[in-house]
Structures are given as C-alpha cells and as structure tokens.
C-alpha cells in the first residue's frame, strides 16, 4: 500500500528533507583528495547532530555505517572506512536521515579533482535521468512512467542502468511501497496521487547492467568493474511539478518546469540577462520610479536568481525569490514578450508555490507597480490579493500556500 501523507506529515518530511540537504552540503565541502571515507562519515554525523537528525541507514539489515560512501565501481552500500580518496575518484554518497520519526533519502555523486571526461559525462547523464524521473512523478500518472523516463534518458546516452538498484517510497520506514525500477514501459503500476512521497534514484554504469556483492559483504559493485554513478532525491508527488524536498534552494540542479529549464543565473551571460530584463521592465520602472533596471535589482542580497531557458538553452526570462521567515518573497519574474500568454508564467508561479511549501512557508508574496495593470490582473487571476501599499506606486500582494 502506498501511503498518501497529510499536510502535517508532509511538513515534517520537508523539515527532514532540509536536514538531509544540510548534511549533504557539509559532506560535499569536505570531499577532497586525501580524506578518508571514514572522515566523511564523521563530517556527516556532526552535521546530523547540528540539524537535529540521526542516521536512518545505520542498522538497516545490520548495516554498520552512518552513511554509505562508495567509490568508482562500487554502486552503493559501502561502509565508510580507511580508504583515502584520490584525484579522479568517482564518489557516491548516500544519506538517509530521520527527524522526529520521519525519513528522507538522498544520494549525490562527485568526481574528486578534475576527473576524466567520461566520469563528468556520467554525472551529467545521471542528473538528467533523475530530472526526467522527477518530471514524471505527478498525480494521475503511473509509477512506471518514472521508470520509463529514467531508462530512456540513460539508454540514449549509451550507458547502462543497474537493474538491481531501484527507487522506493519513504516516510516512516526507509523503504516503503512502491518499488521504482529505473527501466521499463510506461503506463503500468499503481496510479500516483498527490501527497505520495518517493525516493527516485537512478544508478548507472559504463557497461554493466548488473551488480555483485563485494568481498567485504556490504558494497555492491558493477559486474565488470566499470565506473558507476548514483543520484537520488526524495520528492512529494503533486498535481503538476513534483516537490523536491532534499535539495536546498541554492543548490538546485536545472529544474524542468513545463517546457522550460530554471538554471542558476550565474551559469548564463549576465549582460544578456540584464539586457533582457531591462527591455521588458524599463518602461514600467521609468513611469513608476523614474529610473531604469540595474543589476542590483536582479541580484538582491539573499535572493536566489534563476535564468529561464528553453530546452535549447535560449534565454527566455528571469526569476528571483527569497525566504523571509514563513513567507516566500518573489522579487522579480520577467519573460520575453513573445513568451507571455503561453501559460509559462502560470507554470513558474505554480513551481514557486511548491518551493515555498518545501521551505516551510505559508505565504507567497510579491510587489508590483500600480501602473503594471497587466501584471496586476495576472496575479489576481492566480489568487493573489492586494494587502497594502509599501510605497504610493507599489502594491504588496500575497497568496496563502
């Protein structure tokens, strides 16, 4: 039976997801040539303590470690120990934590130093497969839609899915229904419902399709000794874009929203970005404030800036937001004029609502110039209401989450 969690239970899982992300962040900072996998475990345990979490892996089937740290041909379940990382190693870190009885599961893979071109490409393929799986974790679909999306992405890369490794539900126990293979046809299995919680985890290798148990009795390794990559996130199924709860907002990988990608603004041409926003916003700001857009308007301290791209990498717009207590504040959202009226703005606002809930916010708020009548009507249609005028020419609008 696949559990559908209540709003209160989902809030608890979001709290646990944030703790998981903090532990991963601490471990990622520590990864370098010369450090032992046991040292990484100590970093993780200290981070768990700070986050009010504990390991949810230790003791499962007798596993003795607090986290799993697997290297090169090891695909997972390796106990941290005396091995010292070397430049070029491909490291997989699998962390499950529990907070107040609720569990989230997430895995990241890293190349120590520069690594080979093939290793870096494997990371890209695995992240793309994870994103494809998450994109299909939506209410009304079937479990195997996730499996099929992952498998197709990996198949077209020329790499292989490890058949033994599967995703799963999570919540009260680390492994719950359903089991989610990373391959297979679409349209099969249980129907997904809003509020289900899934750990989606592609595990890929260069040539192997199967794994074997290593001599140490714990680690699973590729059948042919080739490199492997493991990535994983815990998500909440939504009626639309799934909510990822094990990544902090500022470490998000490119996010698929409808037919768009949201990518960190630092990864695009800053000059082009400012010019695009200025072209759309200057007439409004000149009338309301008597000035033009400046880079400081886009990159406000504390805000998370994301460029909006199409699948081909063309810049379509810009969005930035920040958490302010229990409120998620939308600083800026701009789309090219020809992209407006195509439901793109609605899709981004729907994603922001999910992001706000993931961060524990209960309100989405924004400011809009009083002369921007088109934007006012747009936000009103989406359920925003005017709650005040912080300045004479600016409306403050809010929407409950």
């Amino acid at each position: 039976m696949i559990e559908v969690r209540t709003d209160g239970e989902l809030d608890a899982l979001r709290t646990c997801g944030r703790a998981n992300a903090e532990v991963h962040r601490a471990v990622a900072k520590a990864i370098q040539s010369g450090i032992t996998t046991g040292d990484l475990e100590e970093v993780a345990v200290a981070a768990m303590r700070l986050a009010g979490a504990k390991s949810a892996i230790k003791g499962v089937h007798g596993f003795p470690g607090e986290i799993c740290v697997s290297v090169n041909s090891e695909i997972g379940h390796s106990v941290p120990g005396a091995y010292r990382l070397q430049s070029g190693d491909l490291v997989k870190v699998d962390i499950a934590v529990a907070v107040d009885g609720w569990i989230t599961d997430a895995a990241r893979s890293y190349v120590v130093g520069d690594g080979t071109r093939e290793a870096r490409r494997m990371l890209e393929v695995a992240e793309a497969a994870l994103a494809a799986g998450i994109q299909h974790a939506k209410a009304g679909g079937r479990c195997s839609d996730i499996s099929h999306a992952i498998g197709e992405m990996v198949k077209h890369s020329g790499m292989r899915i490890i058949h033994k490794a599967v995703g799963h539900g999570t919540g009260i126990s680390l492994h719950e229904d359903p089991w989610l293979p990373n391959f297979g046809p679409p349209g099969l299995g249980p129907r997904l419902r809003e509020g289900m919680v899934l750990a989606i985890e592609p595990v890929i290798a260069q040539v192997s399709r199967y794994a074997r148990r290593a001599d140490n009795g714990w680690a699973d390794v590729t059948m042919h000794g080739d490199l492997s990559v493991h990535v994983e996130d815990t998500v909440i199924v939504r009626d639309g874009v799934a909510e990822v709860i094990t990544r902090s907002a500022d470490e998000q990988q490119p996010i698929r929203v409808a037919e768009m990608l949201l990518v960190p603004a630092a990864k695009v041409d800053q000059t082009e970005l400012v010019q695009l926003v200025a072209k759309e916003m200057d007439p409004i700001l000149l009338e309301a404030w008597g000035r033009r857009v400046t880079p400081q308007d886009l990159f406000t301290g504390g805000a998370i800036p994301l460029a909006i791209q199409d699948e081909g990498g063309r810049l379509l717009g810009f969005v930035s937001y920040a958490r302010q207590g229990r409120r998620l504040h939308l600083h800026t959202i701009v789309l090219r004029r020809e992209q407006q009226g195509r439901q793109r703005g609605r899709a981004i606002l729907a994603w922001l609502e999910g992001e706000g809930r993931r961060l524990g916010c209960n309100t989405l708020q924004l400011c809009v110039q009083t002369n921007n009548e088109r934007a006012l009507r747009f936000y009103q249609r989406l359920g925003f209401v005017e709650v005040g005028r912080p300045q004479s020419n600016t409306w403050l609008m809010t929407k409950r989450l």
Side-chain angles (χ1 to χ4, degrees):
M1 175 180 172
I2 307 175
E3 296 289 342
V4 175
R5 303 299 180 185
T6 67
D7 289 344
E9 291 170 339
L10 293 177
D11 282 341
L13 282 159
R14 292 184 183 101
T15 298
C16 183
R18 290 193 292 273
N20 198 315
E22 287 303 313
V23 178
H24 266 294
R25 185 200 299 270
V27 172
K29 289 181 179 178
I31 290 177
Q32 60 182 314
S33 181
I35 196 170
T36 70
T37 57
D39 293 335
L40 294 179
E41 182 180 49
E42 291 182 6
V43 170
V45 170
M48 288 181 202
R49 192 176 300 114
L50 287 174
K54 63 179 182 179
S55 172
I57 291 178
K58 187 172 184 177
V60 175
H61 304 302
F63 186 76
E66 303 277 355
I67 64 174
C68 300
V69 184
S70 309
V71 183
N72 296 331
S73 64
E74 296 173 339
I75 69 169
H77 306 144
S78 186
V79 181
Y83 179 79
R84 293 190 180 276
L85 300 184
Q86 304 174 39
S87 180
D89 278 346
L90 213 167
V91 184
K92 288 127 282 184
V93 181
D94 190 1
I95 298 174
V97 301
V99 176
D100 296 330
W102 294 97
I103 296 171
T104 57
D105 197 5
R108 306 283 182 260
S109 291
Y110 309 92
V111 176
V112 180
D114 293 335
T116 64
R117 181 178 179 182
E118 177 71 359
R120 293 194 301 272
R121 180 168 175 266
M122 289 184 73
L123 294 182
E124 293 173 357
V125 171
E127 289 287 356
L130 176 59
I134 292 171
Q135 186 179 13
H136 286 77
K138 54 188 177 183
R142 299 280 186 178
C143 283
S144 77
D145 295 343
I146 299 171
S147 305
H148 179 72
I150 292 171
E152 288 298 294
M153 182 68 70
V154 176
K155 181 175 71 175
H156 291 307
S157 75
M159 297 178 192
R160 301 288 185 268
I161 288 287
I162 296 292
H163 284 212
K164 178 181 178 180
V166 298
H168 52 89
T170 193
I172 293 295
S173 300
L174 176 57
H175 299 122
E176 298 183 356
D177 290 337
W179 296 105
L180 297 170
N182 292 310
F183 62 95
L188 301 177
R191 192 172 295 281
L192 297 171
R193 295 173 58 192
E194 189 162 7
M196 291 178 175
V197 180
L198 309 174
I200 300 174
E201 53 178 317
V203 181
I204 70 173
Q206 290 172 300
V207 297
S208 294
R209 295 185 187 274
Y210 300 96
R212 62 177 178 82
R213 184 60 51 86
D215 294 338
N216 62 24
W218 286 110
D220 293 315
V221 299
T222 56
M223 189 64 71
H224 300 294
D226 46 313
L227 293 177
S228 68
V229 170
H230 176 199
V231 292
E232 176 184 21
D233 273 307
T234 299
V235 307
I236 298 172
V237 174
R238 288 291 181 193
D239 184 12
V241 181
E243 180 184 347
V244 180
I245 62 173
T246 46
R247 287 186 191 257
S248 58
D250 59 354
E251 68 158 349
Q252 289 277 1
Q253 297 296 313
I255 304 158
R256 291 180 182 271
V257 177
E259 297 177 351
M260 300 170 288
L261 294 175
L262 306 183
V263 303
K267 295 184 177 181
V268 305
D269 185 307
Q270 303 290 289
T271 300
E272 181 186 7
L273 187 57
V274 173
Q275 289 175 345
L276 183 152
V277 176
K279 179 180 178 182
E280 302 298 336
M281 290 298 296
D282 273 351
I284 295 168
L285 283 185
L286 282 169
E287 181 180 343
W289 294 91
R291 68 173 182 83
R292 299 179 185 276
V293 169
T294 68
Q296 289 73 29
D297 294 322
L298 277 62
F299 308 114
T300 305
I304 298 168
L306 299 172
I308 305 168
Q309 296 180 333
D310 64 15
E311 297 282 359
R314 177 173 176 257
L315 188 63
L316 303 180
F318 173 80
V319 61
S320 69
Y321 62 97
R323 181 181 178 182
Q324 298 177 353
R326 297 297 302 278
R327 297 173 181 268
L328 191 73
H329 185 82
L330 171 59
H331 282 279
T332 307
I333 180 169
V334 173
L335 285 167
R336 289 186 186 275
R337 188 60 54 91
E338 70 272 15
Q339 299 298 321
Q340 298 173 16
R342 300 174 59 182
Q343 305 298 309
R344 296 193 184 278
R346 284 179 177 269
I348 293 170
L349 265 293
W351 174 79
L352 277 170
E353 290 181 23
E355 183 70 359
R357 287 188 289 266
R358 186 185 74 82
L359 294 171
C361 299
N362 57 24
T363 305
L364 181 60
Q365 71 175 24
L366 55 90
C367 289
V368 60
Q369 277 64 57
T370 54
N371 66 319
N372 195 350
E373 295 180 359
R374 182 175 182 178
L376 278 168
R377 291 193 299 271
F378 170 72
Y379 293 127
Q380 288 167 345
R381 287 195 298 271
L382 293 182
F384 286 84
V385 295
E386 299 92 344
V387 296
R389 285 196 180 188
Q391 289 88 27
S392 61
N393 51 6
T394 303
W395 279 112
L396 175 65
M397 307 183 76
T398 65
K399 180 178 181 179
R400 297 289 295 178
L401 298 179

